[in-house]
C-alpha cells in the first residue's frame, strides 16, 4: 500500500476523530455528535473515495468510545490533582471515605475513593523518594501485575531499589481498603 494514501487517510480520520471529540466536549450527546460529524465536510471527504482502513463514524459505538475516553481522562485528571495536592503538601490530612469508589479497584476487591487513591499514590511516591509523583496507572500495575509503563527512569529506579517496601505498601493499602 502506498504510504501517501495511508497518511492521507490517517490525517482525515484524525480530523474526523477530533471533530467528534470536539462536539462531545461541547456537551452534545452521542447522537447529536454523530449527526454533526455525518453532516460535516470531513465526513463527505471520507466517503467520497475508498479508504485503506475503516473508522466507522456511522456507528454509535465510535462516539461512545470517544466519550468513554473523555470521561476516563477527566477522571484520571481528578486523581492526578489529588496526587499533586498530597505530594506537594498543599493537602495534608488523610481523606475520609466520602463519595464513589473507584470501579477498577473495586474489581480488585477494594473500596477506595479517587481522593484516597490520590493520597495513597502520593504517599507511595514520597516513600520511594521520587521527584515526580507516580500516577493512577502505576499503582494499578502494582496490583494487577502488568508492566509498569510510562515511568521515568528515576521513578523506576526508585521503585526497584525499594522493592520490598513497595510490596509491603501495596499489601498494606489493600488491607486498609479491602471490601468487607
Amino acid at each position: 500500500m502506498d504510504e501517501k494514501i495511508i497518511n492521507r487517510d490517517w490525517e482525515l480520520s484524525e480530523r474526523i476523530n477530533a471533530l467528534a471529540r470536539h462536539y462531545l466536549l461541547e456537551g452534545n450527546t452521542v447522537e447529536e455528535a454523530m449527526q454533526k460529524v455525518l453532516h460535516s465536510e470531513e465526513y463527505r471527504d471520507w466517503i467520497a473515495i475508498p479508504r485503506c482502513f475503516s473508522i466507522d463514524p456511522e456507528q454509535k459505538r465510535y462516539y461512545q468510545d470517544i466519550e468513554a475516553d473523555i470521561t476516563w481522562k477527566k477522571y484520571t485528571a481528578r486523581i492526578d490533582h489529588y496526587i499533586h495536592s498530597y505530594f506537594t503538601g498543599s493537602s495534608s490530612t488523610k481523606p475520609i471515605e466520602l463519595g464513589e469508589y473507584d470501579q477498577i479497584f473495586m474489581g480488585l476487591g477494594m473500596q477506595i475513593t479517587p481522593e484516597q487513591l490520590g493520597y495513597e499514590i502520593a504517599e507511595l511516591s514520597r516513600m520511594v523518594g521520587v521527584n515526580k509523583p507516580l500516577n493512577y496507572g502505576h499503582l494499578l500495575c502494582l496490583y494487577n501485575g502488568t508492566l509498569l509503563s510510562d515511568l521515568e527512569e528515576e521513578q523506576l529506579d526508585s521503585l526497584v531499589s525499594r522493592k520490598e517496601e513497595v510490596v509491603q505498601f501495596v499489601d498494606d493499602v489493600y488491607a486498609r481498603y479491602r471490601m468487607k
Side-chain angles (χ1 to χ4, degrees):
M1 173 113 352
D2 184 1
E3 190 173 335
K4 288 180 186 176
I5 292 172
I6 294 170
N7 288 338
R8 175 204 66 199
D9 290 355
W10 178 256
E11 288 172 13
L12 184 54
S13 74
E14 287 296 299
R15 289 198 333 258
I16 292 170
N17 187 47
L19 192 59
R21 182 174 296 278
H22 169 75
Y23 290 137
L24 290 166
L25 284 168
E26 277 187 337
N28 289 281
T29 66
V30 164
E31 292 79 9
E32 291 167 338
M34 184 167 100
Q35 287 307 310
K36 288 180 179 187
V37 168
L38 294 179
H39 290 97
S40 71
E41 185 175 327
E42 289 83 356
Y43 180 71
R44 283 191 295 279
D45 289 348
W46 183 261
I47 61 173
I49 60 172
R51 300 294 170 178
C52 62
F53 58 87
S54 172
I55 58 170
D56 298 326
E58 311 83 9
Q59 302 296 317
K60 192 174 175 181
R61 184 77 191 143
Y62 176 83
Y63 303 89
Q64 290 168 329
D65 288 347
I66 294 171
E67 185 177 51
D69 181 62
I70 290 168
T71 300
W72 175 252
K73 286 180 178 169
K74 287 178 180 177
Y75 179 72
T76 56
R78 189 170 121 215
I79 294 173
D80 286 344
H81 171 75
Y82 293 135
I83 294 168
H84 181 74
S85 293
Y86 287 112
F87 187 75
T88 61
S90 56
S91 290
S92 57
T93 50
K94 189 172 181 177
I96 57 170
E97 184 177 321
L98 185 63
E100 83 283 2
Y101 295 122
D102 180 272
Q103 295 300 305
I104 293 176
F105 278 86
M106 279 189 76
L108 296 172
M110 300 168 69
Q111 291 180 314
I112 186 168
T113 67
E115 186 172 3
Q116 289 169 323
L117 276 167
Y119 175 83
E120 297 296 350
I121 294 167
E123 287 294 303
L124 174 61
S125 300
R126 277 198 295 274
M127 183 190 83
V128 297
V130 292
N131 293 320
K132 178 182 174 190
L134 301 170
N135 65 36
Y136 177 91
H138 299 144
L139 184 63
L140 183 59
C141 289
L142 293 172
Y143 280 102
N144 68 14
T146 57
L147 179 67
L148 284 163
S149 62
D150 78 336
L151 279 171
E152 293 181 4
E153 187 174 345
E154 181 246 352
Q155 292 172 314
L156 180 61
D157 291 345
S158 295
L159 284 170
V160 170
S161 71
R162 304 202 52 196
K163 182 173 67 173
E164 290 79 20
E165 292 169 82
V166 170
V167 169
Q168 186 61 54
F169 180 89
V170 167
D171 289 345
D172 291 347
V173 168
Y174 180 80
R176 267 193 300 283
Y177 299 101
R178 179 181 66 239
M179 285 187 202
K180 293 159 177 79

